Amino acid sequence: MIRVRQAIVVEGRYDRNTLRQLVDAPIFETGGFRVLKDRELLALLRRAAERRGLIILTDSDGAGFVIRSFLRGALPRDRVLHAYIPDVYGKERRKRAPGKEGKVGVEGMPPQVLLEALRAAGADIEGEDDGRPAGELLTKADLFDLGLSGRPDSAARRKALQARLRLPEHLSANALLEALNLLFTRREFFAYYEGETDD
């Protein structure tokens, strides 16, 4: 597994699951074409790009390029890298038939092809300084301590926090943790959260 400094954007959950086995990095899904209409998701991707940098890794079919083209125009160009997979014809294991264009998507690519695509895009891979001191990331334990997970009212607290930060409402606790680590250092988040709850 390699560590990548930038966040990565893929189309769907199967792409995300495949990449999670290879890369230690925040990975966001566009939900297919949902990103074209989801202003909150787009705002999160924009903030991730500005804070940490973003790599767009979509399928090589027409739909993938529509999504990539939309994101290219919606995100800061100087903070976004584009990783491309080759056109490979066939189908993913979980599918009964190939897709409309007959191309294998991100989820069906061999690991070495995906890693090479990230390298070719210019991903900052482990060993390079990301400017953040070790231990400065929020953890699941921090979320628990703050009552944002593992408690009866945690879901409501997370939802309220996500609304204040203008984050998509459907983020899981794990996705929220990734988003918070993109937007804040651990110290910055504790200062923000304590300020918000001192009313």
Side-chain angles (χ1 to χ4, degrees), residues 79-126:
R79 302 295 297 151
V80 176
L81 300 173
H82 292 271
Y84 297 92
I85 59 172
D87 285 339
V88 174
Y89 290 88
K91 68 173 190 65
E92 287 83 2
R93 289 183 188 175
R94 70 178 177 85
K95 295 181 179 177
R96 290 185 173 173
K100 185 177 181 181
E101 295 179 32
K103 296 177 184 177
V104 175
V106 169
E107 73 172 276
M109 285 289 138
Q112 66 273 16
V113 171
L114 294 173
L115 295 176
E116 183 51 40
L118 293 172
R119 286 187 176 99
D124 291 333
I125 296 174
E126 185 172 317

Side-chain angles (χ1 to χ4, degrees), residues 4-182:
V4 174
R5 181 183 188 278
Q6 295 95 339
I8 302 172
V9 180
V10 295
E11 290 180 54
R13 71 173 183 251
Y14 293 105
D15 300 331
R16 185 175 193 257
N17 292 343
T18 296
L19 217 49
R20 277 236 172 276
Q21 297 172 40
L22 308 173
V23 177
D24 180 8
I27 302 172
F28 296 97
E29 304 167 30
T30 67
F33 291 124
R34 188 185 95 215
V35 73
L36 278 62
K37 296 181 181 180
D38 189 334
R39 290 183 180 160
E40 290 177 337
L41 175 58
L42 190 57
L44 173 61
L45 295 179
R46 189 174 291 120
R47 290 164 70 187
E50 290 167 355
R51 177 77 179 204
R52 189 168 180 144
L54 206 59
I55 300 171
I56 297 174
L57 177 61
T58 59
D59 294 350
S60 61
D61 61 7
F65 276 87
V66 167
I67 293 166
R68 182 187 297 276
S69 178
F70 172 79
L71 292 175
R72 180 179 280 122
L75 300 173
R77 288 179 184 255
D78 63 328
R79 302 295 297 151
V80 176
L81 300 173
H82 292 271
Y84 297 92
I85 59 172
D87 285 339
V88 174
Y89 290 88
K91 68 173 190 65
E92 287 83 2
R93 289 183 188 175
R94 70 178 177 85
K95 295 181 179 177
R96 290 185 173 173
K100 185 177 181 181
E101 295 179 32
K103 296 177 184 177
V104 175
V106 169
E107 73 172 276
M109 285 289 138
Q112 66 273 16
V113 171
L114 294 173
L115 295 176
E116 183 51 40
L118 293 172
R119 286 187 176 99
D124 291 333
I125 296 174
E126 185 172 317
E128 296 183 24
D129 183 14
D130 69 359
R132 182 176 291 189
E136 280 293 311
L137 295 175
L138 286 162
T139 65
K140 289 182 179 182
D142 292 327
L143 294 187
F144 179 81
D145 290 343
L146 294 170
L148 293 168
S149 70
R151 310 275 170 84
D153 62 343
S154 293
R157 286 176 178 238
R158 283 195 309 274
K159 194 168 213 165
L161 173 64
Q162 288 165 212
R164 287 195 305 273
L165 293 173
R166 297 187 321 263
L167 295 173
E169 69 179 65
H170 299 293
L171 291 179
S172 66
N174 287 338
L176 174 62
L177 181 61
E178 287 183 356
L180 293 175
N181 277 321
L182 284 170

Side-chain angles (χ1 to χ4, degrees), residues 135-139 142 181 184-191:
E136 280 293 311
L137 295 175
L138 286 162
T139 65
D142 292 327
N181 277 321
F184 299 94
T185 64
R186 186 172 185 272
R187 186 174 307 132
E188 288 169 347
F189 180 72
F190 272 94

